[in-house]
Amino acid sequence: MAGAGQVLQPVVLKHRRTALERVEKFISEIYFTDCNLRGRLFGDTCSLESLSFFETSERIPYEEAVRQEFRPIKVGDSFGKTWKTCWFKIDLSIPREWAGKEVHLLWESEGEGLVWKDAQPVQGLTREGEKVSYILTDCLKEMEPHSLTLYVEVACNGLFGAGKGSMIAPPDPDKRFSLQKAELVVFNRDAHELLVDFEVLLDMAKLLGEENQRSLQALYAANQMVNLCDVTDPSTFPLAREVARLVFGQKNGDSQHVIHAMGHCHIDSAWLWPYEETIRKCARSWVTVVRLMEKNPEFTFVCSQAQQFEWVKSHYPGLYSKIQDFAKEGRFIPVGGTWVEMDGNLPGGESMIRQFLQGQRFFQQEFGKLCSEFWLPDTFGYSAQFPQLMRGCGIRRFLTQKLSWNLVNTFPHNTFFWEGIDGSRVLAHFPPADSYGLAGHVEEVSDVAMRHRSGLAGHLIL
């Protein structure tokens, strides 16, 4: 019963499809970008002062590259052939009227790129990995340098090699690569954060099920946010984000799982590219991780394979020093205990022991402690000797997931004790997501909770 003077507002039941499509169009990459939120992600743009490049068949160090003769290139031009390297020299000047703004270098090209600043690698760039901008400044200050020179080292291959027509195929030796975008841009961080809120709510509304209460709440909240948000007036964004915060702040019951997510970059030491390219893939990936850690204090990252650490130490000592610093903080976490992520079927016992011997020795010398878990996500089988070998090498836990790709029968457990031939036992975990490359989307997180094969609520690794 309403109190004196209180007016009860009727609950308005929204038409589900209409509400969904309204929210989808509000953040669409295709439709209405001239007036929706997605279209406000970037603001003013500015051309580069100059852009030049040179091409080489060798993977040369920075010190040698900057001494070469560069020639002009423009957006739309093609460069390189498969396995070649193109170095781009970028001279830029940030407009002074952008003071107080977050400014990015927007770079879209085929191939895998690495940004160099002041003779140090600072971030990887790859269109396939949806990493196409480098933050020049979070908030441009008057006293901050407005003109600078950067270099972008581009490997003429894709994220998964250079196969002709498909991923696992012989390389296409005549493939040419193109530069689609190279410019300075104002990045609207407040629009980006609001956009992420919308994306999560929309996925919740679409994927949790039409009859699910959280799905209904998410859709109602997203529709309400569209009502509140004027994309031309950023002062309306905080109120819309508060609506999202109220949904995200709701607590699950004690019977629900706690899901832990940590960064990981699975890099095959030898697969669809030369060994030398693996070294650069490690640098591109790990320097991006370090940059994320500098901006996100709660971010942790696990990384295996002593051989790859050794490569980075030898070829990128400045980056390696930062990795060691973050490792001391417990944020860049060496795992695995082996020299590489080796095959688990063909090698004999002595070969496997030497993997652990060399790997654990490296981690002890470089990071001051042994690994306590064996990290082997991508092998297609497991020797029954493994538990005994692990226990003998100081390892008590094991993580893998490749059995989930089995086409014949489903492995029945996610977390269990694995007992070897001699009775040695280790705690084993198969991530319920059945993958080692998730992005943390709503669908993936929901599947993790649904697929966990246990009668008890627990702590799951995403």
Side-chain angles (χ1 to χ4, degrees), residues 212-247:
N212 185 285
Q213 180 64 22
R214 285 289 177 89
S215 171
L216 296 172
Q217 290 176 342
L219 181 56
Y220 190 90
N223 188 69
Q224 185 181 4
M225 290 164 64
V226 176
N227 293 338
L228 294 169
C229 183
D230 178 354
V231 297
T232 65
D233 182 5
S235 68
T236 65
F237 294 179
L239 189 58
R241 293 206 68 199
E242 177 62 18
V243 175
R245 188 192 66 80
L246 293 175
V247 176

Side-chain angles (χ1 to χ4, degrees), residues 183-400:
E183 62 186 11
L184 304 185
V185 63
V186 172
F187 183 77
N188 295 320
R189 178 67 56 180
D190 51 357
H192 169 75
E193 292 175 347
L194 180 58
L195 192 62
V196 172
D197 286 348
F198 267 112
E199 289 174 339
V200 174
L201 287 170
L202 183 60
D203 279 352
M204 289 173 63
K206 293 167 65 175
L207 300 170
L208 295 184
E210 189 169 342
E211 303 303 321
N212 185 285
Q213 180 64 22
R214 285 289 177 89
S215 171
L216 296 172
Q217 290 176 342
L219 181 56
Y220 190 90
N223 188 69
Q224 185 181 4
M225 290 164 64
V226 176
N227 293 338
L228 294 169
C229 183
D230 178 354
V231 297
T232 65
D233 182 5
S235 68
T236 65
F237 294 179
L239 189 58
R241 293 206 68 199
E242 177 62 18
V243 175
R245 188 192 66 80
L246 293 175
V247 176
F248 299 149
Q250 296 179 84
K251 302 296 183 183
N252 284 319
D254 292 339
S255 63
Q256 297 300 308
H257 297 296
V258 176
I259 298 178
H260 299 268
M262 62 200 71
H264 174 57
C265 183
H266 178 75
I267 303 175
D268 288 289
S269 293
W271 191 28
L272 301 175
W273 48 81
Y275 277 125
E276 292 82 0
E277 199 55 49
T278 307
I279 299 172
R280 297 201 297 189
K281 282 180 176 288
C282 292
R284 291 190 290 262
S285 301
W286 296 359
V287 75
T288 303
V289 168
V290 166
R291 187 162 177 83
L292 289 171
M293 286 184 172
E294 291 170 347
K295 294 182 176 294
N296 301 276
E298 296 181 356
F299 176 47
T300 58
F301 181 84
V302 295
C303 192
S304 64
Q305 306 192 75
Q307 172 64 86
Q308 294 182 4
F309 281 96
E310 175 63 35
W311 279 332
V312 172
K313 178 184 178 182
S314 299
H315 293 80
Y316 304 90
L319 170 59
Y320 189 74
S321 177
K322 290 184 177 182
I323 289 173
Q324 286 185 308
D325 290 340
F326 281 116
K328 291 175 183 176
E329 296 177 12
R331 298 175 59 198
F332 199 111
I333 306 169
V335 295
T338 53
W339 190 250
V340 296
E341 291 179 8
M342 72 282 200
D343 176 62
N345 290 315
L346 296 180
E350 181 176 349
S351 174
M352 292 179 179
I353 289 173
R354 290 187 181 278
Q355 283 282 350
F356 286 109
L357 175 65
Q358 298 297 331
Q360 290 286 55
R361 177 183 293 162
F362 179 89
F363 291 124
Q364 177 69 58
Q365 291 174 347
E366 296 295 319
F367 298 99
K369 58 183 177 182
L370 302 175
C371 295
S372 58
E373 60 287 304
F374 182 27
W375 186 280
L376 196 67
D378 196 31
T379 192
F380 287 84
Y382 317 95
S383 169
Q385 299 179 91
F386 268 148
Q388 180 181 0
L389 300 181
M390 282 186 257
R391 293 301 295 257
C393 297
I395 289 176
R396 300 292 183 269
R397 299 187 294 272
F398 175 56
L399 184 141
T400 189

